[in-house]
Amino acid sequence: MFADYSMPELMSIFAMQGFAGLSLFSIFVLMALGLAIIFGQMGVINMAHGEFMILGAYTTYLTAGLFENVMPGLYGIYFFVAMFLAFIASALLGMLVEWLMIRHLYHRPLDTLLATWGLSLILQQAYRSIFGAREVGVSLPDWMMGSIAVTDLVEIPINGLIVMVLTLVIATLVYLLMFRSGWGRQVRAVVQNRPMAEAVGIDTGKVDRITFALGCGIAGVAGAAFTMIGSTGPTSGQLYIVDTFLVVVFGGAQSLLGTIASAFTISQAQSTMEFFLSGSMAKVLTLLVVVGILMLRPQGLFALKVRR
Amino acid sequence: MLKLQNYSVAYGQSKVIHDLQLDVGENEIVAVVGRNGMGKTTLMKSMVGMVPAREGVLSMQGVDLMPLKSHQRVKAGLGFVPQGRMIFPTLTVKENIETGLAASGRKGIPADLYELFPVLKDMASRKGGNLSGGQQQQLAIARALATDPKVLILDEPTEGIQPSIIQELARTLRKIRDTRGLSILVSEQVLSFVMNVADRILVIEKGRFVHQEEREGANQEKIAAYLAV
């Protein structure tokens, strides 16, 4: 399949597809971070995670509409405001869901799976009723459009770069929060031994609620980034949930670095192969490789080593 | 200080702890001894709220602990060192101790903790899971002390620790009692340790206290007979 291209052409294809994959990478990282934090902390597999992402996307859409109509002069910065609002909206909904539903279902993993699946259907229908079944999109401000031409053949999209930088900033913030703050220490203690964490005076119920809210909030930010690469519909989130699980499992649960590495590998493999093969063949190949590696390393790419 | 009245614990229908009466005095060290399966760990766990109590009174300085959750009991002044240490293996030694600070509301680790356990200072940035058994035991005690307890509960602290260190542990516990002025309730099987550490000894059998003695003038053979299998 490579035979039709000359060597320089191939190199630029790889470079450009690689950069195109960066937006996908960013969304994977943000989605997987939230999912991994929630799963690691509470053992809850949140099937509605994609819908929390879409809530962020709709929030971005609404914010864009607001800026366009009320203060068009500031349209250039709407995305940053939207990202912040998307985080707040998804985090608040997450907190409510945890309080209403999840906290009653701890220690029942299968029930949470079903319950969050049901929640995802409810949310999808809610989006359909509120925003309509037709997909919506936002137009990017001028300065985010276009691309930087590195060579004659290689062009890098600007919005992809912005989203990637934002993702790395958020990932760094989450890392600092988990490993340098008192709250993160409590989260990690609860992850390792819930009853014991409670018996050294940690209010695990409160830690759970904030963790769930944070995970959902990050999904909301992923939704804001999502508006840059696709249009938003009620069921758009569903397409991402499986890939995100793949990223989490492949990277090794409870390892932030592993999550990032695995998101990068999977998104880049996907994006590069999509150019040469069909989209579904690319997916099949990615899945096969991931399954193969997981058979050799069931704990994922990165896992902490200690005496237990 | 710590009071139990008609205190019972059950797993479903089977009662494990029957109508216990206990009053741990201020600054007193009380040891509960008994063979395996007699209810020591159940008693300890239920006091800190990890296992629900069936009925009775559990109070500390007049504060009713029964309706409180684990973390609220710890905040009220109950420090807990569980059987098997249960430190957090992937947290560093320093972080392990700091988890106790949530209950005491302090900002940093009190300096006297490191004076009690100098080895923990040397290992502060190591992962808790990579410490030896004896060091993990010290860490578990330090973590409990970081919650600023009024009563410290220890469940079989000598389990899995080499004999030479056991007597050192007894000295450390007495020192903690003397310097911090707290009360200690410890469950144990090793009689020599108990004779070194306790002011009063209670024997538990099938969930009931069957014998009680002050340490001074305690009849060691009689207690040893209870512990014999």
PDB file of all heavy atoms in Angstrom, chain A residues 179 185-186 188-189 192-193 195-203 304 306-307, chain B residues 50 70-71 74 82 86 88-91 95 98 102 129-132 143 147:
ATOM      1  N   PHE A 179      -1.274  14.035  42.878  1.00  0.00           N
ATOM      2  CA  PHE A 179      -0.034  13.611  43.528  1.00  0.00           C
ATOM      3  C   PHE A 179       0.610  14.676  44.396  1.00  0.00           C
ATOM      4  O   PHE A 179       1.588  14.409  45.071  1.00  0.00           O
ATOM      5  CB  PHE A 179       0.964  13.105  42.486  1.00  0.00           C
ATOM      6  CG  PHE A 179       0.547  11.817  41.872  1.00  0.00           C
ATOM      7  CD1 PHE A 179      -0.143  11.802  40.676  1.00  0.00           C
ATOM      8  CD2 PHE A 179       0.799  10.610  42.506  1.00  0.00           C
ATOM      9  CE1 PHE A 179      -0.557  10.603  40.115  1.00  0.00           C
ATOM     10  CE2 PHE A 179       0.385   9.418  41.961  1.00  0.00           C
ATOM     11  CZ  PHE A 179      -0.297   9.418  40.758  1.00  0.00           C
ATOM     12  N   ARG A 185      -4.145  12.963  47.870  1.00  0.00           N
ATOM     13  CA  ARG A 185      -3.640  11.939  48.786  1.00  0.00           C
ATOM     14  C   ARG A 185      -4.812  11.149  49.363  1.00  0.00           C
ATOM     15  O   ARG A 185      -4.761   9.926  49.474  1.00  0.00           O
ATOM     16  CB  ARG A 185      -2.871  12.645  49.901  1.00  0.00           C
ATOM     17  CG  ARG A 185      -2.095  11.737  50.807  1.00  0.00           C
ATOM     18  CD  ARG A 185      -1.263  12.560  51.740  1.00  0.00           C
ATOM     19  NE  ARG A 185      -2.098  13.389  52.611  1.00  0.00           N
ATOM     20  CZ  ARG A 185      -1.936  14.697  52.787  1.00  0.00           C
ATOM     21  NH1 ARG A 185      -0.978  15.328  52.172  1.00  0.00           N
ATOM     22  NH2 ARG A 185      -2.733  15.366  53.581  1.00  0.00           N
ATOM     23  N   GLN A 186      -5.886  11.871  49.682  1.00  0.00           N
ATOM     24  CA  GLN A 186      -7.060  11.178  50.220  1.00  0.00           C
ATOM     25  C   GLN A 186      -7.663  10.249  49.173  1.00  0.00           C
ATOM     26  O   GLN A 186      -8.046   9.133  49.474  1.00  0.00           O
ATOM     27  CB  GLN A 186      -8.107  12.188  50.677  1.00  0.00           C
ATOM     28  CG  GLN A 186      -7.626  13.011  51.854  1.00  0.00           C
ATOM     29  CD  GLN A 186      -8.749  13.815  52.494  1.00  0.00           C
ATOM     30  OE1 GLN A 186      -9.862  13.852  51.985  1.00  0.00           O
ATOM     31  NE2 GLN A 186      -8.452  14.445  53.600  1.00  0.00           N
ATOM     32  N   ARG A 188      -6.131   8.776  46.701  1.00  0.00           N
ATOM     33  CA  ARG A 188      -5.304   7.586  46.509  1.00  0.00           C
ATOM     34  C   ARG A 188      -5.421   6.633  47.692  1.00  0.00           C
ATOM     35  O   ARG A 188      -5.373   5.412  47.524  1.00  0.00           O
ATOM     36  CB  ARG A 188      -3.848   7.995  46.279  1.00  0.00           C
ATOM     37  CG  ARG A 188      -3.637   8.561  44.864  1.00  0.00           C
ATOM     38  CD  ARG A 188      -2.226   8.996  44.636  1.00  0.00           C
ATOM     39  NE  ARG A 188      -1.898  10.148  45.451  1.00  0.00           N
ATOM     40  CZ  ARG A 188      -0.726  10.306  46.076  1.00  0.00           C
ATOM     41  NH1 ARG A 188       0.208   9.399  45.956  1.00  0.00           N
ATOM     42  NH2 ARG A 188      -0.507  11.374  46.788  1.00  0.00           N
ATOM     43  N   ALA A 189      -5.586   7.177  48.893  1.00  0.00           N
ATOM     44  CA  ALA A 189      -5.771   6.309  50.064  1.00  0.00           C
ATOM     45  C   ALA A 189      -7.076   5.522  49.936  1.00  0.00           C
ATOM     46  O   ALA A 189      -7.109   4.322  50.189  1.00  0.00           O
ATOM     47  CB  ALA A 189      -5.768   7.135  51.349  1.00  0.00           C
ATOM     48  N   GLN A 192      -6.871   2.630  47.501  1.00  0.00           N
ATOM     49  CA  GLN A 192      -6.132   1.445  47.926  1.00  0.00           C
ATOM     50  C   GLN A 192      -6.855   0.644  48.985  1.00  0.00           C
ATOM     51  O   GLN A 192      -6.774  -0.577  49.011  1.00  0.00           O
ATOM     52  CB  GLN A 192      -4.757   1.860  48.436  1.00  0.00           C
ATOM     53  CG  GLN A 192      -3.881   2.264  47.281  1.00  0.00           C
ATOM     54  CD  GLN A 192      -2.537   2.717  47.755  1.00  0.00           C
ATOM     55  OE1 GLN A 192      -1.944   2.148  48.643  1.00  0.00           O
ATOM     56  NE2 GLN A 192      -2.035   3.763  47.148  1.00  0.00           N
ATOM     57  N   ASN A 193      -7.527   1.316  49.912  1.00  0.00           N
ATOM     58  CA  ASN A 193      -8.193   0.583  50.977  1.00  0.00           C
ATOM     59  C   ASN A 193      -9.291   1.460  51.560  1.00  0.00           C
ATOM     60  O   ASN A 193      -9.061   2.256  52.459  1.00  0.00           O
ATOM     61  CB  ASN A 193      -7.178   0.200  52.051  1.00  0.00           C
ATOM     62  CG  ASN A 193      -7.747  -0.813  53.020  1.00  0.00           C
ATOM     63  OD1 ASN A 193      -8.948  -0.857  53.235  1.00  0.00           O
ATOM     64  ND2 ASN A 193      -6.883  -1.621  53.595  1.00  0.00           N
ATOM     65  N   PRO A 195     -12.156   0.883  53.503  1.00  0.00           N
ATOM     66  CA  PRO A 195     -12.497   0.886  54.928  1.00  0.00           C
ATOM     67  C   PRO A 195     -11.387   1.466  55.795  1.00  0.00           C
ATOM     68  O   PRO A 195     -11.658   2.163  56.775  1.00  0.00           O
ATOM     69  CB  PRO A 195     -12.732  -0.592  55.254  1.00  0.00           C
ATOM     70  CG  PRO A 195     -12.474  -1.359  54.043  1.00  0.00           C
ATOM     71  CD  PRO A 195     -12.229  -0.448  52.908  1.00  0.00           C
ATOM     72  N   MET A 196     -10.131   1.210  55.404  1.00  0.00           N
ATOM     73  CA  MET A 196      -9.024   1.716  56.208  1.00  0.00           C
ATOM     74  C   MET A 196      -8.913   3.236  56.078  1.00  0.00           C
ATOM     75  O   MET A 196      -8.617   3.925  57.049  1.00  0.00           O
ATOM     76  CB  MET A 196      -7.725   1.042  55.759  1.00  0.00           C
ATOM     77  CG  MET A 196      -6.581   1.221  56.728  1.00  0.00           C
ATOM     78  SD  MET A 196      -6.971   0.621  58.379  1.00  0.00           S
ATOM     79  CE  MET A 196      -6.520   2.042  59.364  1.00  0.00           C
ATOM     80  N   ALA A 197      -9.159   3.754  54.887  1.00  0.00           N
ATOM     81  CA  ALA A 197      -9.129   5.203  54.704  1.00  0.00           C
ATOM     82  C   ALA A 197     -10.159   5.858  55.604  1.00  0.00           C
ATOM     83  O   ALA A 197      -9.901   6.870  56.251  1.00  0.00           O
ATOM     84  CB  ALA A 197      -9.393   5.556  53.241  1.00  0.00           C
ATOM     85  N   GLU A 198     -11.323   5.236  55.667  1.00  0.00           N
ATOM     86  CA  GLU A 198     -12.378   5.740  56.551  1.00  0.00           C
ATOM     87  C   GLU A 198     -11.908   5.686  58.003  1.00  0.00           C
ATOM     88  O   GLU A 198     -12.169   6.599  58.781  1.00  0.00           O
ATOM     89  CB  GLU A 198     -13.643   4.882  56.340  1.00  0.00           C
ATOM     90  CG  GLU A 198     -14.837   5.255  57.156  1.00  0.00           C
ATOM     91  CD  GLU A 198     -15.721   6.317  56.500  1.00  0.00           C
ATOM     92  OE1 GLU A 198     -15.465   6.692  55.341  1.00  0.00           O
ATOM     93  OE2 GLU A 198     -16.654   6.759  57.154  1.00  0.00           O
ATOM     94  N   ALA A 199     -11.165   4.620  58.357  1.00  0.00           N
ATOM     95  CA  ALA A 199     -10.731   4.435  59.745  1.00  0.00           C
ATOM     96  C   ALA A 199      -9.522   5.289  60.116  1.00  0.00           C
ATOM     97  O   ALA A 199      -9.070   5.236  61.241  1.00  0.00           O
ATOM     98  CB  ALA A 199     -10.435   2.956  60.010  1.00  0.00           C
ATOM     99  N   VAL A 200      -8.949   6.035  59.163  1.00  0.00           N
ATOM    100  CA  VAL A 200      -7.958   7.040  59.570  1.00  0.00           C
ATOM    101  C   VAL A 200      -8.565   8.440  59.464  1.00  0.00           C
ATOM    102  O   VAL A 200      -7.856   9.431  59.528  1.00  0.00           O
ATOM    103  CB  VAL A 200      -6.632   6.991  58.773  1.00  0.00           C
ATOM    104  CG1 VAL A 200      -5.857   5.745  59.085  1.00  0.00           C
ATOM    105  CG2 VAL A 200      -6.874   7.144  57.294  1.00  0.00           C
ATOM    106  N   GLY A 201      -9.868   8.492  59.301  1.00  0.00           N
ATOM    107  CA  GLY A 201     -10.540   9.777  59.408  1.00  0.00           C
ATOM    108  C   GLY A 201     -10.834  10.472  58.093  1.00  0.00           C
ATOM    109  O   GLY A 201     -11.079  11.671  58.073  1.00  0.00           O
ATOM    110  N   ILE A 202     -10.821   9.731  56.970  1.00  0.00           N
ATOM    111  CA  ILE A 202     -11.133  10.357  55.690  1.00  0.00           C
ATOM    112  C   ILE A 202     -12.617  10.167  55.391  1.00  0.00           C
ATOM    113  O   ILE A 202     -13.130   9.049  55.448  1.00  0.00           O
ATOM    114  CB  ILE A 202     -10.269   9.747  54.566  1.00  0.00           C
ATOM    115  CG1 ILE A 202      -8.802  10.082  54.800  1.00  0.00           C
ATOM    116  CG2 ILE A 202     -10.723  10.249  53.200  1.00  0.00           C
ATOM    117  CD1 ILE A 202      -7.855   9.367  53.873  1.00  0.00           C
ATOM    118  N   ASP A 203     -13.305  11.250  55.080  1.00  0.00           N
ATOM    119  CA  ASP A 203     -14.722  11.191  54.750  1.00  0.00           C
ATOM    120  C   ASP A 203     -14.857  10.675  53.324  1.00  0.00           C
ATOM    121  O   ASP A 203     -14.851  11.438  52.360  1.00  0.00           O
ATOM    122  CB  ASP A 203     -15.339  12.583  54.897  1.00  0.00           C
ATOM    123  CG  ASP A 203     -16.839  12.557  54.698  1.00  0.00           C
ATOM    124  OD1 ASP A 203     -17.356  11.539  54.210  1.00  0.00           O
ATOM    125  OD2 ASP A 203     -17.488  13.550  55.026  1.00  0.00           O
ATOM    126  N   LEU A 304       2.093   0.098  38.654  1.00  0.00           N
ATOM    127  CA  LEU A 304       2.972   0.358  39.792  1.00  0.00           C
ATOM    128  C   LEU A 304       3.449  -0.961  40.387  1.00  0.00           C
ATOM    129  O   LEU A 304       2.702  -1.908  40.485  1.00  0.00           O
ATOM    130  CB  LEU A 304       2.227   1.151  40.860  1.00  0.00           C
ATOM    131  CG  LEU A 304       1.933   2.597  40.511  1.00  0.00           C
ATOM    132  CD1 LEU A 304       1.011   3.205  41.536  1.00  0.00           C
ATOM    133  CD2 LEU A 304       3.238   3.373  40.443  1.00  0.00           C
ATOM    134  N   VAL A 306       4.855  -2.668  43.735  1.00  0.00           N
ATOM    135  CA  VAL A 306       5.183  -2.640  45.167  1.00  0.00           C
ATOM    136  C   VAL A 306       4.874  -4.002  45.768  1.00  0.00           C
ATOM    137  O   VAL A 306       4.159  -4.806  45.182  1.00  0.00           O
ATOM    138  CB  VAL A 306       4.360  -1.601  45.970  1.00  0.00           C
ATOM    139  CG1 VAL A 306       4.857  -0.209  45.745  1.00  0.00           C
ATOM    140  CG2 VAL A 306       2.892  -1.749  45.666  1.00  0.00           C
ATOM    141  N   ARG A 307       5.441  -4.222  46.956  1.00  0.00           N
ATOM    142  CA  ARG A 307       5.050  -5.389  47.748  1.00  0.00           C
ATOM    143  C   ARG A 307       3.648  -5.150  48.272  1.00  0.00           C
ATOM    144  O   ARG A 307       3.343  -4.070  48.730  1.00  0.00           O
ATOM    145  CB  ARG A 307       5.996  -5.477  48.956  1.00  0.00           C
ATOM    146  CG  ARG A 307       6.826  -6.703  48.982  1.00  0.00           C
ATOM    147  CD  ARG A 307       8.036  -6.481  49.829  1.00  0.00           C
ATOM    148  NE  ARG A 307       7.696  -6.464  51.259  1.00  0.00           N
ATOM    149  CZ  ARG A 307       8.618  -6.478  52.191  1.00  0.00           C
ATOM    150  NH1 ARG A 307       9.898  -6.501  51.881  1.00  0.00           N
ATOM    151  NH2 ARG A 307       8.278  -6.451  53.461  1.00  0.00           N
TER     152      ARG A 307
ATOM    153  N   MET B  50     -15.969  -0.249  61.521  1.00  0.00           N
ATOM    154  CA  MET B  50     -15.806  -1.005  60.271  1.00  0.00           C
ATOM    155  C   MET B  50     -16.788  -2.163  60.206  1.00  0.00           C
ATOM    156  O   MET B  50     -17.088  -2.670  59.134  1.00  0.00           O
ATOM    157  CB  MET B  50     -14.379  -1.549  60.168  1.00  0.00           C
ATOM    158  CG  MET B  50     -13.354  -0.492  59.836  1.00  0.00           C
ATOM    159  SD  MET B  50     -11.697  -1.115  60.104  1.00  0.00           S
ATOM    160  CE  MET B  50     -11.083  -1.168  58.440  1.00  0.00           C
ATOM    161  N   SER B  70     -17.288   5.764  60.696  1.00  0.00           N
ATOM    162  CA  SER B  70     -15.869   5.564  61.030  1.00  0.00           C
ATOM    163  C   SER B  70     -15.109   6.882  61.120  1.00  0.00           C
ATOM    164  O   SER B  70     -14.454   7.175  62.114  1.00  0.00           O
ATOM    165  CB  SER B  70     -15.195   4.705  59.963  1.00  0.00           C
ATOM    166  OG  SER B  70     -15.314   3.359  60.271  1.00  0.00           O
ATOM    167  N   HIS B  71     -15.182   7.671  60.033  1.00  0.00           N
ATOM    168  CA  HIS B  71     -14.331   8.854  59.993  1.00  0.00           C
ATOM    169  C   HIS B  71     -14.733   9.862  61.057  1.00  0.00           C
ATOM    170  O   HIS B  71     -13.902  10.614  61.557  1.00  0.00           O
ATOM    171  CB  HIS B  71     -14.331   9.462  58.587  1.00  0.00           C
ATOM    172  CG  HIS B  71     -15.607  10.127  58.200  1.00  0.00           C
ATOM    173  ND1 HIS B  71     -15.834  11.465  58.390  1.00  0.00           N
ATOM    174  CD2 HIS B  71     -16.716   9.638  57.628  1.00  0.00           C
ATOM    175  CE1 HIS B  71     -17.045  11.759  57.946  1.00  0.00           C
ATOM    176  NE2 HIS B  71     -17.609  10.672  57.487  1.00  0.00           N
ATOM    177  N   VAL B  74     -13.166   8.680  64.304  1.00  0.00           N
ATOM    178  CA  VAL B  74     -11.732   9.024  64.333  1.00  0.00           C
ATOM    179  C   VAL B  74     -11.580  10.499  64.668  1.00  0.00           C
ATOM    180  O   VAL B  74     -10.732  10.890  65.472  1.00  0.00           O
ATOM    181  CB  VAL B  74     -11.073   8.694  62.983  1.00  0.00           C
ATOM    182  CG1 VAL B  74      -9.631   9.165  62.970  1.00  0.00           C
ATOM    183  CG2 VAL B  74     -11.129   7.195  62.722  1.00  0.00           C
ATOM    184  N   PRO B  82      -4.997  -1.247  62.708  1.00  0.00           N
ATOM    185  CA  PRO B  82      -5.665  -2.525  62.457  1.00  0.00           C
ATOM    186  C   PRO B  82      -4.701  -3.705  62.466  1.00  0.00           C
ATOM    187  O   PRO B  82      -3.492  -3.532  62.383  1.00  0.00           O
ATOM    188  CB  PRO B  82      -6.237  -2.335  61.055  1.00  0.00           C
ATOM    189  CG  PRO B  82      -5.266  -1.432  60.398  1.00  0.00           C
ATOM    190  CD  PRO B  82      -4.760  -0.499  61.474  1.00  0.00           C
ATOM    191  N   MET B  86      -2.287  -2.718  57.407  1.00  0.00           N
ATOM    192  CA  MET B  86      -3.102  -2.043  56.386  1.00  0.00           C
ATOM    193  C   MET B  86      -2.649  -0.620  56.088  1.00  0.00           C
ATOM    194  O   MET B  86      -3.457   0.299  56.010  1.00  0.00           O
ATOM    195  CB  MET B  86      -4.561  -1.999  56.823  1.00  0.00           C
ATOM    196  CG  MET B  86      -5.136  -3.356  57.004  1.00  0.00           C
ATOM    197  SD  MET B  86      -6.847  -3.324  56.584  1.00  0.00           S
ATOM    198  CE  MET B  86      -7.397  -4.846  57.277  1.00  0.00           C
ATOM    199  N   PHE B  88      -1.145   2.134  53.381  1.00  0.00           N
ATOM    200  CA  PHE B  88      -1.464   2.280  51.962  1.00  0.00           C
ATOM    201  C   PHE B  88      -0.184   1.999  51.158  1.00  0.00           C
ATOM    202  O   PHE B  88       0.741   2.812  51.168  1.00  0.00           O
ATOM    203  CB  PHE B  88      -1.996   3.682  51.679  1.00  0.00           C
ATOM    204  CG  PHE B  88      -3.190   4.029  52.523  1.00  0.00           C
ATOM    205  CD1 PHE B  88      -3.114   5.023  53.476  1.00  0.00           C
ATOM    206  CD2 PHE B  88      -4.384   3.346  52.373  1.00  0.00           C
ATOM    207  CE1 PHE B  88      -4.216   5.337  54.268  1.00  0.00           C
ATOM    208  CE2 PHE B  88      -5.482   3.651  53.159  1.00  0.00           C
ATOM    209  CZ  PHE B  88      -5.397   4.647  54.102  1.00  0.00           C
ATOM    210  N   PRO B  89      -0.107   0.863  50.466  1.00  0.00           N
ATOM    211  CA  PRO B  89       1.177   0.418  49.904  1.00  0.00           C
ATOM    212  C   PRO B  89       1.793   1.349  48.854  1.00  0.00           C
ATOM    213  O   PRO B  89       3.013   1.469  48.810  1.00  0.00           O
ATOM    214  CB  PRO B  89       0.859  -0.956  49.307  1.00  0.00           C
ATOM    215  CG  PRO B  89      -0.618  -1.066  49.266  1.00  0.00           C
ATOM    216  CD  PRO B  89      -1.170  -0.139  50.275  1.00  0.00           C
ATOM    217  N   THR B  90       0.991   1.996  48.016  1.00  0.00           N
ATOM    218  CA  THR B  90       1.617   2.807  46.969  1.00  0.00           C
ATOM    219  C   THR B  90       1.759   4.274  47.362  1.00  0.00           C
ATOM    220  O   THR B  90       2.240   5.074  46.569  1.00  0.00           O
ATOM    221  CB  THR B  90       0.843   2.722  45.630  1.00  0.00           C
ATOM    222  OG1 THR B  90      -0.448   3.273  45.827  1.00  0.00           O
ATOM    223  CG2 THR B  90       0.717   1.298  45.154  1.00  0.00           C
ATOM    224  N   LEU B  91       1.344   4.627  48.582  1.00  0.00           N
ATOM    225  CA  LEU B  91       1.625   5.979  49.062  1.00  0.00           C
ATOM    226  C   LEU B  91       2.983   5.965  49.759  1.00  0.00           C
ATOM    227  O   LEU B  91       3.375   4.947  50.330  1.00  0.00           O
ATOM    228  CB  LEU B  91       0.552   6.423  50.064  1.00  0.00           C
ATOM    229  CG  LEU B  91      -0.621   7.235  49.514  1.00  0.00           C
ATOM    230  CD1 LEU B  91      -1.386   6.408  48.508  1.00  0.00           C
ATOM    231  CD2 LEU B  91      -1.551   7.669  50.621  1.00  0.00           C
ATOM    232  N   GLU B  95       3.286  10.360  52.993  1.00  0.00           N
ATOM    233  CA  GLU B  95       1.874  10.497  52.616  1.00  0.00           C
ATOM    234  C   GLU B  95       0.972   9.630  53.482  1.00  0.00           C
ATOM    235  O   GLU B  95      -0.139  10.018  53.841  1.00  0.00           O
ATOM    236  CB  GLU B  95       1.684  10.129  51.145  1.00  0.00           C
ATOM    237  CG  GLU B  95       2.212  11.177  50.192  1.00  0.00           C
ATOM    238  CD  GLU B  95       2.189  10.700  48.739  1.00  0.00           C
ATOM    239  OE1 GLU B  95       2.266   9.478  48.486  1.00  0.00           O
ATOM    240  OE2 GLU B  95       2.104  11.547  47.859  1.00  0.00           O
ATOM    241  N   GLU B  98       0.398  11.418  56.537  1.00  0.00           N
ATOM    242  CA  GLU B  98      -0.420  12.614  56.288  1.00  0.00           C
ATOM    243  C   GLU B  98      -1.905  12.289  56.118  1.00  0.00           C
ATOM    244  O   GLU B  98      -2.751  13.151  56.337  1.00  0.00           O
ATOM    245  CB  GLU B  98       0.103  13.349  55.051  1.00  0.00           C
ATOM    246  CG  GLU B  98       1.353  14.164  55.341  1.00  0.00           C
ATOM    247  CD  GLU B  98       2.009  14.702  54.073  1.00  0.00           C
ATOM    248  OE1 GLU B  98       1.710  14.184  52.975  1.00  0.00           O
ATOM    249  OE2 GLU B  98       2.818  15.614  54.188  1.00  0.00           O
ATOM    250  N   ALA B 102      -6.218  14.547  58.078  1.00  0.00           N
ATOM    251  CA  ALA B 102      -7.575  15.002  57.750  1.00  0.00           C
ATOM    252  C   ALA B 102      -8.435  15.062  59.012  1.00  0.00           C
ATOM    253  O   ALA B 102      -9.267  15.949  59.163  1.00  0.00           O
ATOM    254  CB  ALA B 102      -8.209  14.063  56.725  1.00  0.00           C
ATOM    255  N   GLY B 129       4.553   0.252  50.904  1.00  0.00           N
ATOM    256  CA  GLY B 129       4.530  -1.178  50.644  1.00  0.00           C
ATOM    257  C   GLY B 129       5.903  -1.814  50.615  1.00  0.00           C
ATOM    258  O   GLY B 129       6.036  -3.033  50.686  1.00  0.00           O
ATOM    259  N   ASN B 130       6.956  -0.985  50.492  1.00  0.00           N
ATOM    260  CA  ASN B 130       8.300  -1.550  50.421  1.00  0.00           C
ATOM    261  C   ASN B 130       9.000  -1.608  51.778  1.00  0.00           C
ATOM    262  O   ASN B 130      10.171  -1.956  51.852  1.00  0.00           O
ATOM    263  CB  ASN B 130       9.154  -0.748  49.438  1.00  0.00           C
ATOM    264  CG  ASN B 130       8.611  -0.876  48.028  1.00  0.00           C
ATOM    265  OD1 ASN B 130       7.985  -1.866  47.688  1.00  0.00           O
ATOM    266  ND2 ASN B 130       8.834   0.130  47.200  1.00  0.00           N
ATOM    267  N   LEU B 131       8.276  -1.257  52.851  1.00  0.00           N
ATOM    268  CA  LEU B 131       8.864  -1.332  54.185  1.00  0.00           C
ATOM    269  C   LEU B 131       8.761  -2.753  54.734  1.00  0.00           C
ATOM    270  O   LEU B 131       7.925  -3.532  54.293  1.00  0.00           O
ATOM    271  CB  LEU B 131       8.113  -0.377  55.127  1.00  0.00           C
ATOM    272  CG  LEU B 131       8.713   1.003  55.346  1.00  0.00           C
ATOM    273  CD1 LEU B 131       8.962   1.691  54.026  1.00  0.00           C
ATOM    274  CD2 LEU B 131       7.799   1.844  56.207  1.00  0.00           C
ATOM    275  N   SER B 132       9.602  -3.052  55.733  1.00  0.00           N
ATOM    276  CA  SER B 132       9.510  -4.357  56.394  1.00  0.00           C
ATOM    277  C   SER B 132       8.300  -4.357  57.325  1.00  0.00           C
ATOM    278  O   SER B 132       7.701  -3.321  57.596  1.00  0.00           O
ATOM    279  CB  SER B 132      10.772  -4.626  57.194  1.00  0.00           C
ATOM    280  OG  SER B 132      10.760  -3.838  58.366  1.00  0.00           O
ATOM    281  N   ARG B 143       0.573   6.783  61.779  1.00  0.00           N
ATOM    282  CA  ARG B 143      -0.591   7.274  61.038  1.00  0.00           C
ATOM    283  C   ARG B 143      -1.775   7.488  61.982  1.00  0.00           C
ATOM    284  O   ARG B 143      -2.480   8.495  61.897  1.00  0.00           O
ATOM    285  CB  ARG B 143      -0.957   6.248  59.957  1.00  0.00           C
ATOM    286  CG  ARG B 143      -2.114   6.629  59.089  1.00  0.00           C
ATOM    287  CD  ARG B 143      -2.387   5.566  58.046  1.00  0.00           C
ATOM    288  NE  ARG B 143      -2.777   4.295  58.655  1.00  0.00           N
ATOM    289  CZ  ARG B 143      -3.066   3.194  57.971  1.00  0.00           C
ATOM    290  NH1 ARG B 143      -2.991   3.193  56.657  1.00  0.00           N
ATOM    291  NH2 ARG B 143      -3.414   2.089  58.579  1.00  0.00           N
ATOM    292  N   THR B 147      -3.809  11.408  63.829  1.00  0.00           N
ATOM    293  CA  THR B 147      -5.202  11.851  63.960  1.00  0.00           C
ATOM    294  C   THR B 147      -5.459  12.489  65.327  1.00  0.00           C
ATOM    295  O   THR B 147      -6.595  12.833  65.629  1.00  0.00           O
ATOM    296  CB  THR B 147      -6.185  10.668  63.781  1.00  0.00           C
ATOM    297  OG1 THR B 147      -5.982   9.740  64.857  1.00  0.00           O
ATOM    298  CG2 THR B 147      -5.967   9.954  62.464  1.00  0.00           C
TER     299      THR B 147
END
